[in-house]
Structures are given as structure tokens and as C-alpha cells.
Amino acid sequence: VTIAVDGALEQIRTIVGPSHLLSEQAVTTSYESDWTGRFGGPCLAVARPADTSQVAEILACCRRAGIGVVPQGGNTGLVGGSVPRGRGLAPDRTAAPGQQVTAGQTGGPPLVLSTRRLNEITRCDATSLLLEAGAGATLGDAQRAAGAIGYELGIDLAARDSATLGGMVATNAGGIHVIRHGPMRTRVVGLEAVLADGSVIRRMNGLWKDNVGWSLVALLAGSEGTLAVITAVSMRLVSRPTHRVTALVALSGEGQPFSSRQGAATATAVAVAAGLQSRVDGIEAVEITYPAGTTLVAEKAGLPYPPRADSADAWLTIEAAGSSDPAPYLADALANQPGVLDAAVATDSTRRRQLWAYRERHTEAIATLGVAHKLDVSLPLDRLAQFADVVGPVVEENWPGSTTICFGHVADGNLHVNVLGPPADDEAADDAVLRLALDHGGSISAEHGIGVAKVKLVAQARSGAEIGLMRSVKATLDPAGILNPGVLIPPPSS
Ligand code: FAD
Ligand code: 2HG
Ligand code: ZN
């Protein structure tokens, strides 16, 4: 059965109500380009369903009309997966309304399906130790609900007030507490999702253990909107520690066998992170920043310069938490670590937030310099310093005048390489950095996903057999290919 695109749009308008189908360019613009400013393109319209049954009806309708669907939560994704394709194109949807397409033809502008109205927190209690919420609830709202009953979610990231739980499952988000509590995949115990044909699958039975066959969470965590639209999420709570300490620690790379300050400091940081994890209970975060990014943040955010700003080769932002004060243990462990120059330590929340600002504000400070090429890579811990040593010189040699700013989750082996200089649509610098990560035994995506930004390199990172499996799962769940076309799964030609 085929239906015309404009007929489908009329049906979707009836499903969500006229005020929740947005088609005026002035209101759709913010849904059409991503946080980085690097990715985006025109959409057919934006649908804002109020509940799961509306999502199901919309997907059934889009499938009949062959309309592509881009699921969008908080639109904080950094790999172009949350917006229509067509990087660099000015929005132009003149070809869309009235266009006759057959099922499976998803070449026209897609519908953006915004989950932001699915934002109710439906359960949060200290008996089940679960939080359940619509997929459009923000991480910040979920954290506040858990905090109100004395618990935490065990996951945190700087985009907390915009990123949604559904988007975080779809990207298998990581963040700053992965060393303690794992990425999103390990925090989630249940999901509700709508498949491409409009059928609803729901595994939200409040059970922590349920081994009847395959895990829906494992299948959809990291699926980036290509297999289903997640509509509700069930997460387990963790106890809230009574004591928390944050330290901003200046490091020296002196004595390390690397040619750059960045490589040497990374070697020190990896050693310090390992030492802390073996000697201090409750280490929740070990994050690294280097002089270029840290001084940029201080200048842009109007913060005082961090400890040893004139001589440090890197800083670690360290957090430890527990039912007794970890500060003395942390201080003792740091005192015994070679390469530690100095530290600022805080236990009250205002001062702790100030210390975190040097790390957390990197993304927004870098954005003030232009459109960054964001390359989120992970390396085996024993090769991280070698990668950090050469990545800047490799980029700067090939793209003279460019700047490379690194920072990241050092205890996870995860560096965020931000390259400024090459034009937004030039992918050569991206390829060079990602191939360098592969050459060092690393991954082209640690936590942000593949989106459209890295899809060309999936064939270098996964075997033919694995890609074949990805394609068959996709073909089974979404045979018409309407869900997030162009994202994650390499096209047959590659
Ligand atoms: P969106 O950006 O809207 O979408 C992301 C992807 O998920 C897209 O492919 C989209 O199609 C899909 N999707 C969204 N919702 C659904 C749904 N309900 N069902 C199916 N598919 C869906 N990421 C980290 O991992 N760690 C960090 O520390 C981190 N810090 C960040 C800091 C800043 C300042 C910013 C701007 C981003 C950061 N990110 C980080 C990236 C981003 O916040 C995460 O990728 C987050 O998980 C995206 O959530 P979202 O709701 O914004 O999803
Ligand atoms: C972070 O860890 C995010 O702050 C964003 O993952 C990374 O901006 C980036 O490159
Ligand atoms: Zn990160």
C-alpha cells in the first residue's frame, strides 16, 4: 500500500494534533541542525507525539508512505545522528509535500520525531530501586527525582539538562562516572520501544533479573534510532554517598619517554588513575584536560587559572565518594604518586562545581572557536599516551594552522579530540585521527556513537561478518529502511 507524502502528513497532523506537527521553517530550524553546527538538513516536518500510541501510529503511517524518520531527543548528539542528512545544505523542502513515493523509498526529507513530550517520570521509589520515565525525560530531571528520595542514577554528563534518557540509551552514552557504574547500557533494566511497523514492545516489568531470551536493552542500547523508537526507560538506582570529594590535580609529564608534553602528561595521568583506583575506594571519575583547553575554558568562562597554570602539562579532575570521607585517602594516594605537582580539593558542592567547570565547560568553550571536528576515540590504556603524543602533530602537519584540543575520560581510555581549522565539510582530518586510533588498537567511537559522521569508517572497525549481521538485524526490524536512514549501518556499497 502506498500513500502520498502530503496525505501521510495530514494523518500525522490528526494523530498529534495540529499544534504538534511543526512545518513552518522558523520553528523547524532548531530541529534541523545539530549541537555541533556541523550536521543537518531539511526535514519534512517535526512531529511531537504525546504518548507511545501516537508514536506507533506515526511510524505505521510513515512506513506506508515510505517517509524516513529521524528520532530526536535533546539533540545534544555530536555525530549528526539526531538531525536530517544533507550536511551543508540550506533547508529546502519544496520537493516534499505532494511528492508521491512508494514504500521503501526514503530519499525525500525525513520526518523528525521529537520525543520531548514523552517526559513524564512515572516511577521512582526506594523499594523497587527503579526510576521509570518516558524517553523524553531529561537526565537532569531524572537525577533530581532520584535525588529527592536519596538515590542517584549512576550516570552523569555535562549535557544533563537537555540530553534525554531515550537518546542516552540510543547512543549508549558514557559520561563521567563510567569507571564506577558503567555506560547507559548497564544502568538500564527495561525499555519500551516502537518498531518500524508500529508494533510496541515493552519490557518494563520491574524485574532486575529476567533471562527469557535476548536482551532488548542490549539490542537497542547503541542502536542510534536505526532499529526502533524508544518510548520509555527503566533504570536502576544507586545509593547516594554521604561524602564526596573533588580534586583538580596539576600533573607533570617530566621523565616520561614521550616527545610531546601531551604524550608525557598522558602517561603520568594513566599511572595516577591506576594508582588511585587501587588505593582509594569509591573513585567515581578521573578526567583529563590539557593546557590548551583548560586555559581556554578559564578565559571563556571567566574562571581563575587552575593550579600551576604556568607549568602543568595536564590536569586531572578526580572525584571519590563513599559513606565515609574519602578525602584523606585521596590526599594520601596523591601524595605518593610521581608527577603530581599540586591539587585543589573541595568537599562542598559549590566549590566542587567550580572545580568541575574546568573540565565540563570544554565543549562549550571550544564551540566559541568555530565548528569543531569532534573525534571521540578510545585506546587501550597502555597505548593511550602514545596516541596522545602523536595526534596533535599528525593533524597539524597535514592541516597547517589547525588546532587540536584534547580532553576526556582518561581512566576509560577515552579521549575527545577536537580539531579546529579544516572546513566543516572536509572529512580528511577526521579520517586521519580515526585511522590513527585504529592503528593504535583503539575504537573510532568510545561513547558518542557513529551517526553520519563516522559511518564510512565502520567497515574498518568491524569485520564483514559483523556488518552482515548488523544489516540482517536492520532488515528484519526495519525492512523498508525508514528508521534513521544513513546512520550507523554502512551502505551496501562500502
Ligand atoms: P539526540 O541527540 O536527540 O539523539 C542522539 C541519537 O539517538 C540519534 O541517533 C537519535 O536518532 C537517537 N535517538 C534519540 N532519542 C531516541 C529515542 N527515543 N529512540 C531511538 N533513538 C533515539 N555523550 C557521552 O556519551 N558522554 C558525555 O560525557 C557527553 N557529554 C556531552 C556534553 C555536551 C556539552 C554535549 C553537547 C554532548 C555531550 N554528549 C556526551 C553527547 C550527548 O549528550 C549524548 O550522545 C546523549 O546521549 C544524546 O542524548 P539526546 O537526547 O540529546 O539525543
Ligand atoms: C564530554 O565528555 C563529552 O564532555 C563531549 O563527551 C566531548 O565535546 C566533546 O568532544
Ligand atoms: Zn565524553
Side-chain angles (χ1 to χ4, degrees), residues 119-130:
N119 60 0
E120 198 185 340
I121 295 177
T122 47
R123 175 182 199 172
C124 181
D125 68 79
T127 306
S128 65
L129 290 175
L130 292 174

Side-chain angles (χ1 to χ4, degrees), residues 175 359 376 409 414 416 447-448:
R359 162 64 183 87
D376 154 47
H409 316 283
N414 179 184
H416 295 307
E447 57 172 11
H448 295 163

Side-chain angles (χ1 to χ4, degrees), residues 35 71-78 81-82 115 135 157-159 163-164 166-168 170-171 173-175 224-225 228-230 363 409 447-448 484:
W35 200 96
Q72 189 182 96
N75 200 13
T76 65
L78 300 173
S82 54
T115 60
L157 42 82
T164 62
M168 291 176 62
T171 55
E224 299 188 40
V229 176
I230 297 156
T363 304
H409 316 283
E447 57 172 11
H448 295 163
N484 232 358

Side-chain angles (χ1 to χ4, degrees), residues 401-473:
S402 64
T403 308
T404 304
I405 300 178
C406 295
F407 61 100
H409 316 283
V410 69
D412 306 336
N414 179 184
L415 270 196
H416 295 307
V417 181
N418 280 250
V419 179
L420 289 142
D425 59 359
D426 178 350
E427 293 176 351
D430 304 46
D431 286 359
V433 172
L434 298 176
R435 282 177 198 278
L436 193 67
L438 289 170
D439 290 346
H440 283 77
S443 169
I444 59 171
S445 172
E447 57 172 11
H448 295 163
I450 294 297
V452 291
K454 298 176 177 178
V455 74
K456 279 203 216 134
L457 280 178
V458 171
Q460 312 291 318
R462 291 288 180 262
S463 68
E466 284 171 287
I467 291 172
L469 177 62
M470 285 166 79
R471 289 197 183 118
S472 8
V473 172

